[in-house]
Amino acid sequence: MLSVDRRRRPGWPALLFSLLLVLWTAACGDDPAPPPACAGGTTSCNGVCVDVAADAQNCGACGTTCSADEACSDGACVLDCVSGQTACGGTCVDTSKDLGNCGACGNACATGEVCSNGTCAVSCQASLSECGGTCVDTSKDLENCGACGNPCAAGEVCSNGTCALSCQASLSDCGGTCVNPQTDVANCGGCGLACAPGEVCSNGMCALSCQVDLTDCGGVCVNLQTDLGNCGGCGLACDPGEVCSNGACALSCQAELVACDGLCVDTATNPAHCGACGTTCKFDEVCSNGTCESTTPVDLQFLSVSDWHGQLDPLVVNSVEIGGASVLAAYFQKERAQNPNTLVFTAGDGIGASPPLASYFNEEPAIKAMSLMGVDAYTFGNHDFDRGVTHLQSMIDLATFEFVTSNLANLDGNLAGVMTPYHMVEVGGLKVAIIGITSPDAPASTVPGSFGTITIQDPITSAMAARSAAEAAGAKVFVVIAHLGASLCDQATGVCQGPLIDFAKGVNGFDVILGDHTDIQVNTVINGARVVENRSKGLTYARVALTVVPWNGFVAKSSATILSPVKSGVTPDAAVEAMLQPYRAQLAAELDAVIGVATDVFPRGGTVERLVEVAIGNITSDAIRVKYGTQLAFCNGGGLRAALPSTYAPANTMLRRLSAGYASGPPYDIVRGDALAVLPFGNVAITRTVTGAQLWQAMENGISALPAAAGRFPQISGFGFTYSTSAAVGSRIQEIHLADGTPILKDQTSYTLATSDFINSGGDGYTVLVDGQGTSREVMADVLIEHIQNLGTITPVVENRIVAVP
């Protein structure tokens, strides 16, 4: 019996599928298709090549997906912070001002510090202000506009520290029109991105209807609270010049504001409309008083010498040559090469009381040398008037630099070509005001009448008035060059006193105060100003460096350095040497003759001759007493301007001199030029009689400034005296006696006296001698030459002619 298979047989579709499967397997085998080959740096994920270092859907590995507020960075999901912020510990922060993450994540500032531009500091950097422990730029911070806690009103912007009516935070300037790119159909999402007909612009996207808080006004999505054309309702347009604030039209531009392209702006401060509509400042500029000014700090450098006195040749200090015109010129050239924004100043007495190379030729070589040295500005000292205003005028006319004064009155009819009350120089894009001050006691230190009818006004009042005038003219940096010096400085503490210090304490608002006059070195800060005085005759020069923000004159950094211009450190300037050569040749023919030999140096300098008896004072006063056979003689220490031998440089290098390049001593050869270096003023000897009472009064005047140095200090011959500085001024002289010991009483006994015409006319306070007496004799320098020739060999001696007692 046949059996029957009751299983269901497949139909033709199943058979067809089976057949195709057999054919596919035969052709392709059993393995799936291989993944595509990816380029270097990418990985195949689900058949697609991706960069797992940056792909947010496959971050670090296929299938690892970052959250919506994260980004993939170096294969790891990190917070996606906006521009200017950094992810620190799961939070986006601004590391330029975040106290807990200052400059880098986890770098917390200490208590009391602020984070300023990414650095923990005790105070904010220049141009930033501390507001609640955060350093902000109050020139543009909406919450602290112009000052901490001063927020701008809705619709205003903070422009250069002032809340102003301009394009609001949500508006942009598109072709000179303020538009809202979130709602404007012609500029939807950005200038020039227009929506299609029938669409509206809603939150910067072209769409069929407006989003919440926006209203469709004629196919445009607008904010009825701020929109000028639809203020408070569709079609309710503000009048020209008005603004829409909280759905209400407000008045047009306020006082002092200007309408520029439909915006109310302050053209004094608006960087897009600075000074006038459309005048735009550069990215690193601010608009200040209607002028675009840079915010990039400028490095300025000021060089100065004090009381130079025409010291054209180097000084010799411990066998080292220092200073001199060609040496200083070379140093100044090097300084300018390092910083082109350099100015050179001197505060008077660049001429007068000069060595023969200058004085013998009416100071002309000194003025020419300062011009070649690059001096920019000069004010007046007492010695500038030694030869009177007519001579001084010729020096002003000869100079290539500017003379400036702020406290000399009655210049008209006396001096012309003088800048007053200040001199303005633009350097490095900054206006620098130079104020010149002359010491009120200057006339007393010169021959009466030397100032003509010029009078001297109060230094402090004059300086402040000049500063105000210069500031009104746009000055941002203020420099005083003052013929005022320190009188005493404590070597241990560095604390100084004297007219320069008193002046600096009495003024304010100055950046630099450069002193002069007393040969005392000062380097300090008073009332925010760098206060500097050099040693005299080019023994030192000062370099003051300022880093200044141009638009407001803020000094971000300052320093002052006093340097010694050693000759061996540079190659002397050839132009200066060439200018001096004809003068040297003429001088050598007249002043190189040897007049005697000195067994050692007759010292002078460092104010010693203004404090105590010195050998150079003894030989000078002896010369006029011996010449005219008087009982007494004296000269003032301030009239002795050089040692013996001096820095005068004879042409004959075989002579024994202190300077390098000559035969060495001691003994030393003394030449005619040395005598003129000691006595350069051309003073004439005077003979007369004086009573004992007058002599006592004269000597009281001579020592009245002690313990401070003063030019009036007497150098005497034929008599002696003792004094005590513990006694009151005017009662310090204890006794006076003739050389043989005979007392000189304070009575009417008459004595013969030789002195200088300067003293006899009341100079240096010796007014007791202004009684009409006096016979003019020879020039004192010629008398000194004759005296040395007669002696042949001279030896420096101090004989206790002047003795101090407790």
Side-chain angles (χ1 to χ4, degrees), residues 479-480 482 500 503-504 507 510-515 526 529-532:
V479 178
V480 175
L500 175 63
F503 173 82
V507 298
F510 290 97
D511 301 302
V512 180
I513 299 173
L514 301 173
I526 300 175
R530 288 282 174 182
V531 181
V532 176

Side-chain angles (χ1 to χ4, degrees), residues 442-769:
S445 302
T446 59
V447 174
S450 297
F451 273 71
T453 59
I454 293 173
T455 58
I456 302 181
Q457 298 177 322
D458 179 71
I460 292 174
T461 303
S462 300
M464 293 305 299
R467 187 200 180 282
S468 296
E471 185 176 30
K476 292 295 170 43
V477 178
F478 302 90
V479 178
V480 175
I481 52 177
H483 199 74
L484 300 167
S487 55
L488 290 172
C489 285
D490 187 316
Q491 297 302 312
T493 64
V495 176
C496 300
Q497 57 183 281
L500 175 63
I501 308 304
D502 295 340
F503 173 82
K505 291 178 178 178
V507 298
N508 59 74
F510 290 97
D511 301 302
V512 180
I513 299 173
L514 301 173
D516 207 303
H517 192 45
T518 56
D519 194 25
I520 295 177
Q521 187 168 300
V522 176
N523 187 356
T524 188
V525 177
I526 300 175
N527 284 343
R530 288 282 174 182
V531 181
V532 176
E533 182 182 1
N534 290 290
R535 294 294 308 278
S536 296
K537 295 193 171 185
L539 194 60
T540 65
Y541 75 90
R543 178 206 298 140
V544 179
L546 302 181
T547 299
V548 184
V549 179
W551 77 277
N552 61 2
F554 175 74
V555 178
K557 183 171 60 176
S558 71
S559 65
T561 307
I562 295 180
L563 306 106
S564 217
V566 178
K567 181 180 179 181
S568 60
V570 294
T571 300
D573 182 69
V576 174
E577 287 299 324
M579 180 274 294
L580 292 175
Q581 186 52 44
Y583 295 107
R584 292 190 192 279
Q586 183 177 343
L587 204 63
E590 300 183 29
L591 300 182
D592 279 12
V594 175
I595 59 175
V597 173
T599 60
D600 208 339
V601 175
F602 284 69
R604 181 267 175 197
T607 70
V608 62
E609 71 284 350
R610 300 167 185 245
L611 293 167
V612 296
E613 173 191 347
V614 291
I616 190 68
N618 287 348
I619 195 172
T620 302
S621 56
D622 285 349
I624 56 175
R625 182 182 61 81
V626 171
K627 171 69 175 178
Y628 302 112
T630 58
Q631 294 170 285
L632 317 172
F634 76 92
C635 59
N636 59 320
L640 307 173
R641 310 306 297 191
L644 284 176
S646 69
T647 59
Y648 175 73
N652 182 2
T653 58
M654 298 301 293
L655 296 177
R656 295 164 295 184
R657 307 286 289 175
L658 284 169
S659 301
Y662 292 90
S664 60
Y668 299 102
D669 296 304
I670 306 301
V671 299
R672 292 177 62 88
D674 290 320
L676 268 72
V678 173
L679 299 168
F681 298 113
N683 290 124
V684 172
I686 296 289
T687 56
R688 55 166 294 156
T689 61
V690 63
T691 66
Q694 284 179 306
L695 185 64
W696 274 70
Q697 190 174 341
M699 293 303 100
E700 287 284 6
N701 173 71
I703 64 170
S704 60
L706 293 174
R712 71 188 65 173
F713 188 88
Q715 298 292 333
I716 64 177
S717 176
F719 69 103
F721 66 83
T722 58
Y723 70 92
S724 172
T725 55
S726 62
V729 172
S731 301
R732 290 178 166 182
I733 299 297
Q734 305 298 299
E735 60 83 26
I736 303 179
H737 59 270
L738 290 171
D740 63 6
T742 302
I744 297 178
L745 302 179
K746 195 188 304 184
D747 58 19
Q748 296 304 306
T749 303
S750 181
Y751 303 88
T752 56
L753 170 72
T755 188
S756 69
D757 55 351
F758 170 71
I759 289 175
N760 196 59
S761 61
D764 265 349
Y766 286 99
T767 55
V768 66
L769 300 180

Side-chain angles (χ1 to χ4, degrees), residues 167 172-179 261:
C167 290
S172 300
D173 186 346
C174 288
T177 301
C178 287
V179 301
D261 298 328

Side-chain angles (χ1 to χ4, degrees), residues 221-513:
C221 292
V222 299
N223 186 338
L224 300 180
Q225 299 299 301
T226 61
D227 194 87
L228 287 170
N230 304 276
C231 188
C234 292
L236 300 178
C238 293
D239 290 335
E242 290 185 323
V243 294
C244 182
S245 178
N246 291 326
C249 294
L251 293 176
S252 58
C253 296
Q254 300 175 4
E256 299 182 358
L257 299 183
V258 177
C260 291
D261 298 328
L263 303 178
C264 292
V265 300
D266 182 353
T267 56
T269 60
N270 193 294
H273 306 281
C274 190
C277 294
T279 301
T280 304
C281 297
K282 297 177 182 177
F283 75 95
D284 62 343
E285 294 178 329
V286 295
C287 183
S288 177
N289 294 323
T291 301
C292 292
E293 297 193 33
S294 175
T295 59
T296 302
V298 175
D299 291 326
L300 301 181
Q301 180 172 259
F302 302 136
L303 308 178
S304 71
V305 291
S306 303
D307 248 28
W308 188 53
H309 289 296
Q311 189 62 51
L312 297 165
D313 290 316
L315 297 165
V316 179
V317 180
N318 296 326
S319 301
V320 177
E321 292 187 288
I322 302 175
S326 61
V327 172
L328 284 168
Y331 273 96
F332 293 169
Q333 288 166 9
K334 288 179 63 176
E335 296 278 10
R336 282 195 182 90
Q338 293 174 358
N339 185 353
N341 298 327
T342 295
L343 295 174
V344 180
F345 305 123
T346 186
D349 284 4
I351 59 174
S354 305
L357 187 54
S359 63
Y360 199 74
F361 300 102
N362 294 316
E363 308 292 350
E364 290 182 7
I367 292 292
K368 291 180 179 179
M370 284 189 284
S371 296
L372 291 172
M373 287 157 58
V375 170
D376 292 287
Y378 184 114
T379 197
F380 299 102
N382 52 294
H383 286 292
D384 293 303
F385 291 88
D386 280 347
R387 301 176 188 238
V389 292
T390 300
H391 172 263
L392 181 53
Q393 183 65 63
S394 69
M395 298 296 98
I396 294 171
D397 296 340
L398 180 63
T400 60
F401 47 87
E402 294 291 346
F403 286 74
V404 58
T405 182
S406 305
N407 73 323
L408 294 187
N410 301 328
L411 285 180
D412 292 344
N414 291 281
L415 295 174
V418 178
M419 305 299 294
T420 183
Y422 59 84
H423 174 46
M424 190 88 82
V425 178
E426 186 166 326
V427 56
L430 278 160
K431 288 184 177 180
V432 178
I434 302 107
I435 284 87
I437 296 295
T438 299
S439 171
D441 66 4
S445 302
T446 59
V447 174
S450 297
F451 273 71
T453 59
I454 293 173
T455 58
I456 302 181
Q457 298 177 322
D458 179 71
I460 292 174
T461 303
S462 300
M464 293 305 299
R467 187 200 180 282
S468 296
E471 185 176 30
K476 292 295 170 43
V477 178
F478 302 90
V479 178
V480 175
I481 52 177
H483 199 74
L484 300 167
S487 55
L488 290 172
C489 285
D490 187 316
Q491 297 302 312
T493 64
V495 176
C496 300
Q497 57 183 281
L500 175 63
I501 308 304
D502 295 340
F503 173 82
K505 291 178 178 178
V507 298
N508 59 74
F510 290 97
D511 301 302
V512 180
I513 299 173

Side-chain angles (χ1 to χ4, degrees), residues 212-225:
V212 178
D213 296 331
L214 301 182
T215 302
D216 184 348
C217 288
V220 177
C221 292
V222 299
N223 186 338
L224 300 180
Q225 299 299 301

